[in-house]
Amino acid sequence: MVASPPAAPKLSSKLPATPLLAADVGGTHVRVGLLQAGQGANPDLQMLDYRQYRCADYPDLASILAAFRADRHHVRECAIASAGYALADGTVISANLPWSLSCDAIRTQLGLDAVHLVNDFEAVAHAAAYMQASTLLQLSGPAHAVNGPVLIVGPGTGLGAALWIPRGEQPVVLATEAGQASLAASSPLEIAVLQQMQQRHRHVTIEHALSGPGMVNLYTALCDVRHASATHCTPDAITAAGCTGEDALAVQTMQLFCGLLGSTLGDMALLYGAQGGIYLAGGILPQIRQLLENSNFVERFLNKGPMREALQHIPVRLIEHGQLGVIGAASWYLGRGGNSASASPHTVPQVHRDSRACTVSSEANPGYAAGIHQ
């Protein structure tokens, strides 16, 4: 399966002659793409091939990349956007991946020259040029924002967040672990649910509620508060029952989810000064877009006392995550000067920190099976 990416950014210096392998690694799915920076004075970034894999179907990330790579022997480097925190030794701290991740092991198994790691939502932020084209739904605020920091947040297997900060010709992307901050409750019901969750977790984080597993946590805690038996045990089951209205506790769980999301995003907007807008990504929200639109999400987002007026001027948009993580990983790599490439300041934001690279000399094998040019 090959999907068409949004319009590609323009890159403005010497570009790598060989394709780049890029992956967006989440707790449930891995999206992999083969990208090529074109030649000439004003070249495009082209998606040659793209596929999605289920993490649970493979023993590790190297096996997924090997399945995608097949006979593409000319691929020499890989940029990986991963949920979690990259350490200096190339390993990743993550509570959401089903297996350990090490760039050194991947480089060795695939015979690559180097593997580069970047936070997954940092990578999505580096795909800022594609955000507007990926908009599914405008939830709040004006159609156009002022020039300012842009916040990208996505509940999925965990909760990711990154901030894109304009800075002249060198925009900065700030990766965060916002999902690990403490969850705040506002209503009596939310407080009761939070107290139930505190019996299971010493530290109840935002992603303990605002994620796929978090939805199950909310539902289970709500059942305890209501002295009812839980009949659903997966996010998909709760979402389906909540969206159809067939289960009152599932409906109330989804209402809790949307309200907490709105309140949390309002807090984040104020904490990070996200005057440039907020983009909601991840795998969950597009599935519940109608429910989200008809919930108290916006009212909870705006319910910040005297700051309500300020928040009314911040656009909040739901976007289709899709290929943004893969495109962002490639844009991040090229933007940081990979193989002497640099990105145009009007399209792809520049990197804000060094990558975690594991580099070793290896022989290049001739020939590669070109994917479909989009």
PDB file of all heavy atoms in Angstrom, residues 59-85:
ATOM      1  N   PRO A  59       8.892  -9.094  16.148  1.00  0.00           N
ATOM      2  CA  PRO A  59       9.644  -9.207  17.400  1.00  0.00           C
ATOM      3  C   PRO A  59      10.428  -7.952  17.765  1.00  0.00           C
ATOM      4  O   PRO A  59      10.806  -7.775  18.915  1.00  0.00           O
ATOM      5  CB  PRO A  59      10.598 -10.379  17.147  1.00  0.00           C
ATOM      6  CG  PRO A  59      10.800 -10.377  15.660  1.00  0.00           C
ATOM      7  CD  PRO A  59       9.477  -9.948  15.083  1.00  0.00           C
ATOM      8  N   ASP A  60      10.694  -7.092  16.778  1.00  0.00           N
ATOM      9  CA  ASP A  60      11.433  -5.858  17.046  1.00  0.00           C
ATOM     10  C   ASP A  60      11.307  -4.934  15.836  1.00  0.00           C
ATOM     11  O   ASP A  60      10.779  -5.311  14.790  1.00  0.00           O
ATOM     12  CB  ASP A  60      12.918  -6.151  17.347  1.00  0.00           C
ATOM     13  CG  ASP A  60      13.566  -7.051  16.306  1.00  0.00           C
ATOM     14  OD1 ASP A  60      13.249  -6.887  15.104  1.00  0.00           O
ATOM     15  OD2 ASP A  60      14.377  -7.908  16.693  1.00  0.00           O
ATOM     16  N   LEU A  61      11.809  -3.698  16.029  1.00  0.00           N
ATOM     17  CA  LEU A  61      11.716  -2.717  14.950  1.00  0.00           C
ATOM     18  C   LEU A  61      12.589  -3.100  13.767  1.00  0.00           C
ATOM     19  O   LEU A  61      12.217  -2.864  12.614  1.00  0.00           O
ATOM     20  CB  LEU A  61      12.110  -1.332  15.476  1.00  0.00           C
ATOM     21  CG  LEU A  61      12.101  -0.201  14.444  1.00  0.00           C
ATOM     22  CD1 LEU A  61      10.725  -0.047  13.803  1.00  0.00           C
ATOM     23  CD2 LEU A  61      12.543   1.114  15.093  1.00  0.00           C
ATOM     24  N   ALA A  62      13.757  -3.691  14.018  1.00  0.00           N
ATOM     25  CA  ALA A  62      14.651  -4.081  12.922  1.00  0.00           C
ATOM     26  C   ALA A  62      13.947  -5.027  11.956  1.00  0.00           C
ATOM     27  O   ALA A  62      14.146  -4.951  10.734  1.00  0.00           O
ATOM     28  CB  ALA A  62      15.917  -4.719  13.477  1.00  0.00           C
ATOM     29  N   SER A  63      13.103  -5.924  12.481  1.00  0.00           N
ATOM     30  CA  SER A  63      12.380  -6.866  11.620  1.00  0.00           C
ATOM     31  C   SER A  63      11.379  -6.139  10.719  1.00  0.00           C
ATOM     32  O   SER A  63      11.194  -6.504   9.556  1.00  0.00           O
ATOM     33  CB  SER A  63      11.651  -7.905  12.474  1.00  0.00           C
ATOM     34  OG  SER A  63      12.562  -8.650  13.253  1.00  0.00           O
ATOM     35  N   ILE A  64      10.749  -5.115  11.249  1.00  0.00           N
ATOM     36  CA  ILE A  64       9.814  -4.321  10.446  1.00  0.00           C
ATOM     37  C   ILE A  64      10.556  -3.577   9.344  1.00  0.00           C
ATOM     38  O   ILE A  64      10.155  -3.591   8.178  1.00  0.00           O
ATOM     39  CB  ILE A  64       9.039  -3.331  11.342  1.00  0.00           C
ATOM     40  CG1 ILE A  64       8.118  -4.096  12.294  1.00  0.00           C
ATOM     41  CG2 ILE A  64       8.245  -2.341  10.500  1.00  0.00           C
ATOM     42  CD1 ILE A  64       7.404  -3.217  13.291  1.00  0.00           C
ATOM     43  N   LEU A  65      11.667  -2.940   9.716  1.00  0.00           N
ATOM     44  CA  LEU A  65      12.443  -2.188   8.726  1.00  0.00           C
ATOM     45  C   LEU A  65      13.021  -3.124   7.670  1.00  0.00           C
ATOM     46  O   LEU A  65      13.090  -2.764   6.487  1.00  0.00           O
ATOM     47  CB  LEU A  65      13.557  -1.407   9.421  1.00  0.00           C
ATOM     48  CG  LEU A  65      13.101  -0.325  10.400  1.00  0.00           C
ATOM     49  CD1 LEU A  65      14.296   0.338  11.057  1.00  0.00           C
ATOM     50  CD2 LEU A  65      12.246   0.722   9.694  1.00  0.00           C
ATOM     51  N   ALA A  66      13.413  -4.325   8.087  1.00  0.00           N
ATOM     52  CA  ALA A  66      13.942  -5.296   7.133  1.00  0.00           C
ATOM     53  C   ALA A  66      12.850  -5.739   6.153  1.00  0.00           C
ATOM     54  O   ALA A  66      13.093  -5.908   4.951  1.00  0.00           O
ATOM     55  CB  ALA A  66      14.525  -6.506   7.862  1.00  0.00           C
ATOM     56  N   ALA A  67      11.623  -5.933   6.664  1.00  0.00           N
ATOM     57  CA  ALA A  67      10.509  -6.335   5.802  1.00  0.00           C
ATOM     58  C   ALA A  67      10.195  -5.247   4.782  1.00  0.00           C
ATOM     59  O   ALA A  67       9.902  -5.536   3.612  1.00  0.00           O
ATOM     60  CB  ALA A  67       9.276  -6.630   6.655  1.00  0.00           C
ATOM     61  N   PHE A  68      10.268  -4.007   5.210  1.00  0.00           N
ATOM     62  CA  PHE A  68      10.001  -2.906   4.284  1.00  0.00           C
ATOM     63  C   PHE A  68      11.156  -2.717   3.310  1.00  0.00           C
ATOM     64  O   PHE A  68      10.966  -2.502   2.114  1.00  0.00           O
ATOM     65  CB  PHE A  68       9.796  -1.613   5.060  1.00  0.00           C
ATOM     66  CG  PHE A  68       9.623  -0.399   4.181  1.00  0.00           C
ATOM     67  CD1 PHE A  68       8.373  -0.055   3.709  1.00  0.00           C
ATOM     68  CD2 PHE A  68      10.713   0.390   3.831  1.00  0.00           C
ATOM     69  CE1 PHE A  68       8.207   1.057   2.892  1.00  0.00           C
ATOM     70  CE2 PHE A  68      10.564   1.497   3.017  1.00  0.00           C
ATOM     71  CZ  PHE A  68       9.302   1.835   2.540  1.00  0.00           C
ATOM     72  N   ARG A  69      12.367  -2.829   3.839  1.00  0.00           N
ATOM     73  CA  ARG A  69      13.547  -2.516   3.043  1.00  0.00           C
ATOM     74  C   ARG A  69      13.749  -3.502   1.890  1.00  0.00           C
ATOM     75  O   ARG A  69      14.104  -3.113   0.786  1.00  0.00           O
ATOM     76  CB  ARG A  69      14.775  -2.511   3.956  1.00  0.00           C
ATOM     77  CG  ARG A  69      16.035  -1.981   3.297  1.00  0.00           C
ATOM     78  CD  ARG A  69      17.194  -2.076   4.266  1.00  0.00           C
ATOM     79  NE  ARG A  69      18.442  -1.652   3.650  1.00  0.00           N
ATOM     80  CZ  ARG A  69      19.620  -2.103   4.007  1.00  0.00           C
ATOM     81  NH1 ARG A  69      19.719  -3.012   4.963  1.00  0.00           N
ATOM     82  NH2 ARG A  69      20.720  -1.667   3.428  1.00  0.00           N
ATOM     83  N   ALA A  70      13.545  -4.767   2.172  1.00  0.00           N
ATOM     84  CA  ALA A  70      13.656  -5.825   1.149  1.00  0.00           C
ATOM     85  C   ALA A  70      14.940  -5.662   0.346  1.00  0.00           C
ATOM     86  O   ALA A  70      16.025  -5.789   0.873  1.00  0.00           O
ATOM     87  CB  ALA A  70      12.418  -5.821   0.268  1.00  0.00           C
ATOM     88  N   ASP A  71      14.820  -5.392  -0.956  1.00  0.00           N
ATOM     89  CA  ASP A  71      15.990  -5.331  -1.840  1.00  0.00           C
ATOM     90  C   ASP A  71      16.521  -3.913  -2.035  1.00  0.00           C
ATOM     91  O   ASP A  71      17.298  -3.661  -2.951  1.00  0.00           O
ATOM     92  CB  ASP A  71      15.652  -5.925  -3.211  1.00  0.00           C
ATOM     93  CG  ASP A  71      15.342  -7.404  -3.120  1.00  0.00           C
ATOM     94  OD1 ASP A  71      15.967  -8.079  -2.281  1.00  0.00           O
ATOM     95  OD2 ASP A  71      14.471  -7.868  -3.874  1.00  0.00           O
ATOM     96  N   ARG A  72      16.097  -2.991  -1.188  1.00  0.00           N
ATOM     97  CA  ARG A  72      16.548  -1.606  -1.361  1.00  0.00           C
ATOM     98  C   ARG A  72      17.930  -1.433  -0.725  1.00  0.00           C
ATOM     99  O   ARG A  72      18.094  -0.758   0.275  1.00  0.00           O
ATOM    100  CB  ARG A  72      15.539  -0.654  -0.733  1.00  0.00           C
ATOM    101  CG  ARG A  72      14.130  -0.784  -1.351  1.00  0.00           C
ATOM    102  CD  ARG A  72      13.151   0.138  -0.634  1.00  0.00           C
ATOM    103  NE  ARG A  72      11.837   0.028  -1.229  1.00  0.00           N
ATOM    104  CZ  ARG A  72      10.876  -0.760  -0.768  1.00  0.00           C
ATOM    105  NH1 ARG A  72      11.111  -1.533   0.273  1.00  0.00           N
ATOM    106  NH2 ARG A  72       9.693  -0.783  -1.358  1.00  0.00           N
ATOM    107  N   HIS A  73      18.940  -2.017  -1.323  1.00  0.00           N
ATOM    108  CA  HIS A  73      20.262  -2.083  -0.703  1.00  0.00           C
ATOM    109  C   HIS A  73      20.989  -0.744  -0.700  1.00  0.00           C
ATOM    110  O   HIS A  73      21.962  -0.580   0.015  1.00  0.00           O
ATOM    111  CB  HIS A  73      21.124  -3.130  -1.419  1.00  0.00           C
ATOM    112  CG  HIS A  73      20.549  -4.506  -1.342  1.00  0.00           C
ATOM    113  ND1 HIS A  73      20.291  -5.139  -0.136  1.00  0.00           N
ATOM    114  CD2 HIS A  73      20.151  -5.370  -2.316  1.00  0.00           C
ATOM    115  CE1 HIS A  73      19.779  -6.341  -0.378  1.00  0.00           C
ATOM    116  NE2 HIS A  73      19.688  -6.499  -1.691  1.00  0.00           N
ATOM    117  N   HIS A  74      20.550   0.187  -1.511  1.00  0.00           N
ATOM    118  CA  HIS A  74      21.238   1.467  -1.564  1.00  0.00           C
ATOM    119  C   HIS A  74      20.877   2.380  -0.402  1.00  0.00           C
ATOM    120  O   HIS A  74      21.461   3.455  -0.264  1.00  0.00           O
ATOM    121  CB  HIS A  74      20.955   2.178  -2.895  1.00  0.00           C
ATOM    122  CG  HIS A  74      21.935   1.804  -3.979  1.00  0.00           C
ATOM    123  ND1 HIS A  74      21.639   1.908  -5.314  1.00  0.00           N
ATOM    124  CD2 HIS A  74      23.197   1.321  -3.911  1.00  0.00           C
ATOM    125  CE1 HIS A  74      22.687   1.510  -6.018  1.00  0.00           C
ATOM    126  NE2 HIS A  74      23.634   1.142  -5.197  1.00  0.00           N
ATOM    127  N   VAL A  75      19.901   2.016   0.391  1.00  0.00           N
ATOM    128  CA  VAL A  75      19.558   2.814   1.563  1.00  0.00           C
ATOM    129  C   VAL A  75      20.692   2.710   2.574  1.00  0.00           C
ATOM    130  O   VAL A  75      21.053   1.612   3.004  1.00  0.00           O
ATOM    131  CB  VAL A  75      18.228   2.340   2.195  1.00  0.00           C
ATOM    132  CG1 VAL A  75      17.943   3.116   3.462  1.00  0.00           C
ATOM    133  CG2 VAL A  75      17.091   2.495   1.196  1.00  0.00           C
ATOM    134  N   ARG A  76      21.256   3.819   2.960  1.00  0.00           N
ATOM    135  CA  ARG A  76      22.424   3.820   3.839  1.00  0.00           C
ATOM    136  C   ARG A  76      22.135   4.350   5.230  1.00  0.00           C
ATOM    137  O   ARG A  76      22.842   4.054   6.179  1.00  0.00           O
ATOM    138  CB  ARG A  76      23.550   4.652   3.213  1.00  0.00           C
ATOM    139  CG  ARG A  76      23.963   4.195   1.808  1.00  0.00           C
ATOM    140  CD  ARG A  76      24.510   2.784   1.821  1.00  0.00           C
ATOM    141  NE  ARG A  76      25.705   2.692   2.663  1.00  0.00           N
ATOM    142  CZ  ARG A  76      26.937   2.976   2.238  1.00  0.00           C
ATOM    143  NH1 ARG A  76      27.142   3.359   0.993  1.00  0.00           N
ATOM    144  NH2 ARG A  76      27.970   2.856   3.067  1.00  0.00           N
ATOM    145  N   GLU A  77      21.094   5.176   5.364  1.00  0.00           N
ATOM    146  CA  GLU A  77      20.791   5.774   6.658  1.00  0.00           C
ATOM    147  C   GLU A  77      19.295   5.712   6.940  1.00  0.00           C
ATOM    148  O   GLU A  77      18.477   5.618   6.024  1.00  0.00           O
ATOM    149  CB  GLU A  77      21.289   7.221   6.721  1.00  0.00           C
ATOM    150  CG  GLU A  77      22.802   7.357   6.624  1.00  0.00           C
ATOM    151  CD  GLU A  77      23.268   8.749   6.999  1.00  0.00           C
ATOM    152  OE1 GLU A  77      23.052   9.162   8.148  1.00  0.00           O
ATOM    153  OE2 GLU A  77      23.853   9.411   6.135  1.00  0.00           O
ATOM    154  N   CYS A  78      18.957   5.791   8.217  1.00  0.00           N
ATOM    155  CA  CYS A  78      17.566   5.689   8.648  1.00  0.00           C
ATOM    156  C   CYS A  78      17.292   6.730   9.722  1.00  0.00           C
ATOM    157  O   CYS A  78      18.086   6.893  10.651  1.00  0.00           O
ATOM    158  CB  CYS A  78      17.288   4.284   9.193  1.00  0.00           C
ATOM    159  SG  CYS A  78      15.603   4.029   9.786  1.00  0.00           S
ATOM    160  N   ALA A  79      16.191   7.432   9.580  1.00  0.00           N
ATOM    161  CA  ALA A  79      15.738   8.384  10.594  1.00  0.00           C
ATOM    162  C   ALA A  79      14.491   7.809  11.253  1.00  0.00           C
ATOM    163  O   ALA A  79      13.509   7.505  10.567  1.00  0.00           O
ATOM    164  CB  ALA A  79      15.433   9.738   9.960  1.00  0.00           C
ATOM    165  N   ILE A  80      14.549   7.645  12.571  1.00  0.00           N
ATOM    166  CA  ILE A  80      13.449   7.018  13.306  1.00  0.00           C
ATOM    167  C   ILE A  80      12.831   8.024  14.270  1.00  0.00           C
ATOM    168  O   ILE A  80      13.520   8.597  15.116  1.00  0.00           O
ATOM    169  CB  ILE A  80      13.942   5.799  14.095  1.00  0.00           C
ATOM    170  CG1 ILE A  80      14.471   4.725  13.148  1.00  0.00           C
ATOM    171  CG2 ILE A  80      12.820   5.226  14.961  1.00  0.00           C
ATOM    172  CD1 ILE A  80      15.128   3.564  13.868  1.00  0.00           C
ATOM    173  N   ALA A  81      11.539   8.236  14.125  1.00  0.00           N
ATOM    174  CA  ALA A  81      10.773   9.019  15.087  1.00  0.00           C
ATOM    175  C   ALA A  81      10.103   8.038  16.032  1.00  0.00           C
ATOM    176  O   ALA A  81       9.321   7.193  15.609  1.00  0.00           O
ATOM    177  CB  ALA A  81       9.729   9.872  14.370  1.00  0.00           C
ATOM    178  N   SER A  82      10.430   8.108  17.316  1.00  0.00           N
ATOM    179  CA  SER A  82       9.949   7.108  18.264  1.00  0.00           C
ATOM    180  C   SER A  82       9.313   7.750  19.479  1.00  0.00           C
ATOM    181  O   SER A  82       9.805   8.758  19.994  1.00  0.00           O
ATOM    182  CB  SER A  82      11.113   6.214  18.720  1.00  0.00           C
ATOM    183  OG  SER A  82      10.699   5.374  19.778  1.00  0.00           O
ATOM    184  N   ALA A  83       8.232   7.141  19.938  1.00  0.00           N
ATOM    185  CA  ALA A  83       7.668   7.521  21.225  1.00  0.00           C
ATOM    186  C   ALA A  83       8.698   7.222  22.297  1.00  0.00           C
ATOM    187  O   ALA A  83       9.361   6.185  22.265  1.00  0.00           O
ATOM    188  CB  ALA A  83       6.399   6.714  21.486  1.00  0.00           C
ATOM    189  N   GLY A  84       8.864   8.124  23.228  1.00  0.00           N
ATOM    190  CA  GLY A  84       9.827   7.905  24.294  1.00  0.00           C
ATOM    191  C   GLY A  84      10.933   8.933  24.277  1.00  0.00           C
ATOM    192  O   GLY A  84      10.888   9.931  23.555  1.00  0.00           O
ATOM    193  N   TYR A  85      11.958   8.683  25.078  1.00  0.00           N
ATOM    194  CA  TYR A  85      13.061   9.621  25.249  1.00  0.00           C
ATOM    195  C   TYR A  85      14.362   8.946  24.829  1.00  0.00           C
ATOM    196  O   TYR A  85      14.729   7.893  25.348  1.00  0.00           O
ATOM    197  CB  TYR A  85      13.154  10.066  26.714  1.00  0.00           C
ATOM    198  CG  TYR A  85      14.236  11.082  26.979  1.00  0.00           C
ATOM    199  CD1 TYR A  85      14.014  12.424  26.702  1.00  0.00           C
ATOM    200  CD2 TYR A  85      15.467  10.691  27.482  1.00  0.00           C
ATOM    201  CE1 TYR A  85      15.000  13.361  26.937  1.00  0.00           C
ATOM    202  CE2 TYR A  85      16.462  11.623  27.724  1.00  0.00           C
ATOM    203  CZ  TYR A  85      16.220  12.959  27.443  1.00  0.00           C
ATOM    204  OH  TYR A  85      17.203  13.884  27.667  1.00  0.00           O
TER     205      TYR A  85
END
